[in-house]
Amino acid sequence: MLNLERLRTLDALARHGSVSAAADGLHVTTSAVSQQMSKLEREVGQQLLARNGRGIRLTDAGRLLADHAAKILSQVQIAQSDIEAQRGQVVGEVRLAAFPTAARGLFPAALTTLRAEHPELKVRSTELEPEMGIRAVLRGDTDLAVVLEWSNKRLPTPGGLAKAELLEDAPDIAMPAGHPLAARAEVDLEDFADDDWVSWPEGEFCYDWLMFTLRSKGIEPRIAHLAGEHHTQLALIAAGFGVCVAPRLGRGPVPDGVRLVPVRQRMRRHVHAVWRTDADRRPSIRAAVAALRAAGRSLHEPVPSESSG
């Protein structure tokens, strides 16, 4: 009889590509991963892992069993979803992730609603950037992720995921109060061709969006400072170190000395919830989406209903 947890370990190794990454994804130690794989090899009577330089690789038998493991784990998820749906009660545990401004802007209200309406549901939450959130959902490390895409730069959504739009976020340009454009009612991005920019860290989706958007307008961005937290970005703006894009979701208090001006062109962040389609019938997922939508409605206009992707 194949052990489900050992198949889960093999699946994590196949997806992550290393013992350390699989251990991180499973929230266990590397020695625990190695022990589980040794036991699984004894169970099946075949070598599943082989040395590959300083790392490991799956043998042919390992790849074959990993393919079956992925299908088995998906069927287990479907079975759990069906049992929850048949029972019709929002109980158990649901794991949520969101990019930082959504975690700050949506989670407090959404988690308060879930605690009040579904006291037997245990909610765990964490911050993850959009692409990492999608990968975490696909791996099964989290049940639902709040992600974003821009109106001019979409975030690829792999097959096997369902998606619900939560809200649209209209960002502004933040600049020092003494900036020549600070008194404008609206601005264009081209107006800041000669300014220094404060941006998200390199490699993040919003950093890539900023570079893509400015370059598409013939502007080679002068990125002077990188900061992951919007509060840090705004503090740098208040001190006179450039301009930045300032989303409204989860913004919080704006420091003295900062002026926020809307962008004339339609520039929107579309905020979505994504989850695996094999978990689509879970009442806990539906409850989480409803709570996130309610939190979004308290900030913005309603948006259309969810669709599967």
Side-chain angles (χ1 to χ4, degrees):
M1 181 71 69
L2 293 172
N3 180 280
L4 190 61
E5 287 307 309
R6 288 165 200 155
L7 290 179
R8 200 180 304 279
T9 302
L10 176 62
D11 178 66
L13 275 168
R15 289 186 284 102
H16 292 283
S18 73
V19 172
S20 60
D24 288 342
L26 294 169
H27 307 292
V28 299
T29 64
T30 55
S31 62
V33 170
S34 299
Q35 290 170 13
Q36 289 282 55
M37 290 307 303
S38 295
K39 291 177 181 178
L40 185 58
E41 287 182 328
R42 288 198 296 271
E43 284 180 352
V44 300
Q46 293 196 61
Q47 184 179 358
L48 303 175
L49 301 178
R51 289 286 180 187
N52 184 26
R54 294 185 178 181
I56 56 97
R57 63 174 177 82
L58 295 180
T59 64
D60 289 344
R63 285 195 297 271
L64 176 64
L65 186 55
D67 288 342
H68 285 292
K71 296 172 186 176
I72 291 167
L73 293 171
S74 179
Q75 284 300 123
V76 169
Q77 178 66 69
I78 292 171
Q80 290 174 334
S81 298
D82 286 347
I83 289 294
E84 283 190 34
Q86 195 274 336
R87 186 170 48 188
Q89 297 176 334
V90 182
V91 296
E93 179 179 275
V94 65
R95 299 161 299 169
L96 310 180
F99 59 96
T101 53
R104 186 163 61 247
L106 296 177
F107 275 2
L111 270 58
T112 297
T113 296
L114 289 171
R115 183 170 58 187
E117 297 183 357
H118 309 290
E120 295 185 40
L121 178 66
K122 183 177 183 179
V123 182
R124 295 186 181 276
S125 69
T126 189
E127 287 186 358
L128 288 176
E129 289 298 323
E131 291 166 319
M132 293 178 63
I134 283 180
R135 289 197 292 269
V137 171
L138 287 171
R139 291 194 305 263
D141 296 339
T142 194
D143 299 307
L144 180 150
V146 180
V147 301
L148 69 90
E149 59 187 6
W150 293 85
S151 51
N152 66 331
K153 186 174 178 61
R154 299 298 183 182
L155 180 69
T157 304
L161 294 182
K163 179 169 69 174
E165 190 169 359
L166 302 176
L167 58 97
E168 285 189 355
D169 189 29
D172 303 312
I173 301 297
M175 65 195 77
H179 192 282
L181 303 181
R184 291 267 193 96
E186 291 181 319
V187 291
D188 294 316
L189 290 182
E190 295 91 327
D191 296 333
F192 303 95
D194 296 325
D195 283 271
D196 288 339
W197 284 87
V198 179
S199 172
W200 298 270
E202 290 186 45
E204 290 190 7
F205 181 69
C206 287
Y207 173 90
D208 294 339
W209 165 83
L210 180 64
M211 301 295 286
F212 167 80
T213 301
L214 292 174
R215 285 172 175 166
S216 70
K217 297 178 179 298
I219 302 168
E220 183 56 35
R222 288 169 28 190
I223 306 297
H225 304 282
L226 302 174
E229 283 289 331
H230 284 280
H231 293 313
T232 305
Q233 294 181 11
L234 292 177
L236 289 167
I237 302 305
F241 288 105
V243 301
C244 75
V245 176
R248 297 175 187 176
L249 176 63
R251 178 184 289 166
V254 177
D256 292 337
V258 174
R259 173 84 166 95
L260 297 168
V261 182
V263 180
R264 183 174 293 108
Q265 306 104 320
R266 180 175 172 81
M267 189 170 71
R268 296 287 186 271
R269 298 199 311 174
H270 301 274
V271 180
H272 304 280
V274 297
W275 63 95
R276 288 170 53 145
T277 53
D278 57 17
D280 196 52
R281 296 185 63 202
R282 287 179 58 188
S284 57
I285 294 289
R286 294 292 174 178
V289 172
L292 288 164
R293 275 198 161 137
R297 281 196 299 271
S298 70
L299 303 171
H300 297 277
E301 291 298 316
V303 293
S305 59
E306 71 264 14
S307 61
S308 296

